[in-house]
Amino acid sequence: MNQQESPLETALRGLPREEGSDDWMDLKARIKRRRPFSVRLRKHAASLRWATVCLGILVAVGFWQASQGRQSAIASQTLELRTWVVAHDQAIDADPFADPWARSIAEAGR
Amino acid sequence: MISSNWIQWVAAARDGDMAAFERLYHATRPRLHNAVVHLAGSGEDAKEIVQKAFVKAWERLPDLQEDAAFAGWIRRIAVNLVRDLWRSRKPEDEIVDDDEDGALEDDAPDPSEIVDGAIEAARLREAVSRLPLAFREAVVLHYLDGNPVDEVARTLEVPRGTILSRLSRGRSRLRMELAPYREVTR
């Protein structure tokens, strides 16, 4: 690479600067007009956090209640099944041929 | 040059401190305007683009990863706005082939050696404004705005070699533009 600058490069670097003028009031007005949702949100960050926590608690309570309902449904189904098995066992004890399966096995063995 | 104050102002502005953003605006706007005016071609367009760039910067400050990189970041925003303006006005701008043979050859005669200084600045500025946008971006950001080649490459998001090629070809174009003037001034 050529280390020494050409006169053209020197002339380019030497062009007078054009800095324009500040217009902060205009910029401020533009920003206020277009303030994005995220910036407005920042102002209400604390209340938003509370709302999120409350919502989280509500959702958790809802899940807990739903799971309780499911557990009691399973428990009642389990109890019903157990009652049926006990009744079946007692019936078999009283009369082995009361069970159609046991009867067919006994008949096949004869 | 990065002032340590800038970093504090950027951090404060990110938290919504408008006063800090105002200080940042006053500190960084003049140099940004100088670059944009040569890219956009007119003072009015440059002012509008600079204001828009600061509005975008305010909105996107939470996305800025490194506070010290604010100047380069807002320059990139401004360059993109210039490109949008350029596309809306000249949709069929000359396509630049960075890999063209001879892109790095730079041995043409230099007319700026012989032209009168006062006229040279106006002619040179006009010649720069007529460069294809890709060459103009490289020339303006490197020579007129004083950024190193690597910084220009980061701003324009192209490899370093591409910037060197665009600078070389930009200089050749400028020499071609200024050549007739050279004859007149002899």
Side-chain angles (χ1 to χ4, degrees), chain A residues 40-105:
Chain A
R40 289 199 299 267
L41 217 58
R42 261 183 258 160
K43 278 187 130 183
H44 307 287
S47 18
L48 194 76
R49 251 195 309 274
W50 272 110
T52 311
V53 168
C54 290
L55 193 70
I57 290 170
L58 278 174
V59 169
V61 167
F63 269 112
W64 182 76
Q65 281 190 337
S67 71
Q68 288 299 306
R70 176 90 184 120
Q71 275 178 12
S72 63
I74 291 169
S76 75
Q77 282 171 6
T78 309
L79 185 64
E80 197 179 314
L81 184 65
R82 197 174 298 151
T83 309
W84 186 88
V85 168
V86 168
H88 177 264
D89 287 348
Q90 283 171 353
I92 298 293
D93 286 344
D95 177 9
F97 294 100
D99 186 335
W101 288 93
R103 192 189 303 151
S104 67
I105 291 165

Side-chain angles (χ1 to χ4, degrees), chain B residues 11-162:
Chain B
R14 185 187 289 114
D15 292 336
D17 184 343
M18 196 65 120
F21 192 66
E22 182 181 358
R23 285 193 285 274
L24 206 53
Y25 171 77
H26 293 308
T28 56
R29 191 209 54 77
R31 183 174 169 185
L32 185 64
H33 183 95
N34 182 52
V36 171
V37 78
H38 288 106
L39 290 173
S42 92
E44 276 307 302
D45 286 341
K47 186 177 177 183
E48 182 63 20
I49 285 169
V50 167
Q51 296 292 84
K52 279 185 181 173
F54 274 98
V55 171
K56 282 197 177 213
W58 170 259
E59 289 174 355
R60 295 180 191 172
L61 261 179
D63 301 337
L64 178 61
Q65 304 288 324
E66 210 182 318
D67 292 352
F70 178 81
W73 179 68
I74 196 167
R75 194 185 307 123
R76 195 154 48 242
I77 292 174
V79 164
N80 286 330
L81 288 169
V82 172
R83 286 174 177 175
D84 291 345
L85 177 79
W86 191 254
R87 273 189 219 110
S88 69
R89 290 190 181 166
K90 294 189 176 182
E92 290 171 15
D93 185 31
E94 186 175 350
I95 295 165
V96 170
D97 178 8
D98 291 311
D99 299 325
E100 190 178 290
D101 286 343
L104 287 169
E105 286 172 13
D106 193 17
D107 52 3
D110 193 338
S112 64
E113 291 174 62
I114 53 159
V115 296
D116 172 73
I119 305 168
E120 178 195 311
R123 290 273 176 184
L124 193 53
R125 192 181 290 125
E126 202 184 315
V128 168
S129 74
R130 280 200 297 270
L131 284 175
L133 188 60
F135 296 165
R136 197 185 330 155
E137 286 174 344
V139 166
V140 167
L141 294 179
H142 180 59
Y143 293 118
L144 280 70
D145 197 38
N147 299 292
V149 171
D150 289 332
E151 177 63 26
V152 177
R154 269 195 296 276
T155 300
L156 300 179
E157 294 172 318
V158 292
R160 186 177 195 274
T162 303

